[in-house]
Amino acid sequence: MRNSGIFVGNRFEQFFGKSAYAHLCVTDAMASDLRSNWGVSGKLIVLHDKAPRHFRRLDTAEIHK
């Protein structure tokens, strides 16, 4: 059985999300899903979620400081 909070949240988003002026997405796939599966008609703006250039992978010594 689905969680009732998730069910209510989905229904809320489906009802009120369609009337929003704009929608922010982090991927093109998310924007496409909102258009096709959620019936969103407002402006869809894609802001790609990407780490800044100065971020880097830590080496083992830095992880264990």
Side-chain angles (χ1 to χ4, degrees):
M1 182 172 190
R2 285 176 54 166
N3 182 323
S4 60
I6 293 172
F7 178 78
V8 170
N10 280 342
R11 293 293 180 216
F12 181 86
E13 289 291 333
Q14 286 174 339
F15 183 77
F16 290 106
K18 291 179 182 179
S19 63
Y21 171 76
H23 307 274
L24 299 177
C25 305
V26 294
T27 64
D28 293 321
M30 183 179 182
S32 175
D33 184 63
L34 286 176
R35 268 190 216 103
S36 61
N37 296 329
W38 290 74
V40 170
S41 61
K43 187 173 186 176
L44 287 164
I45 302 166
V46 180
L47 302 171
H48 295 281
D49 190 13
K50 186 177 175 183
R53 292 180 195 253
H54 66 274
F55 277 34
R56 62 178 177 79
R57 196 172 281 279
L58 297 177
D59 61 27
T60 307
E62 291 173 313
I63 292 171
H64 295 287
K65 273 186 176 179

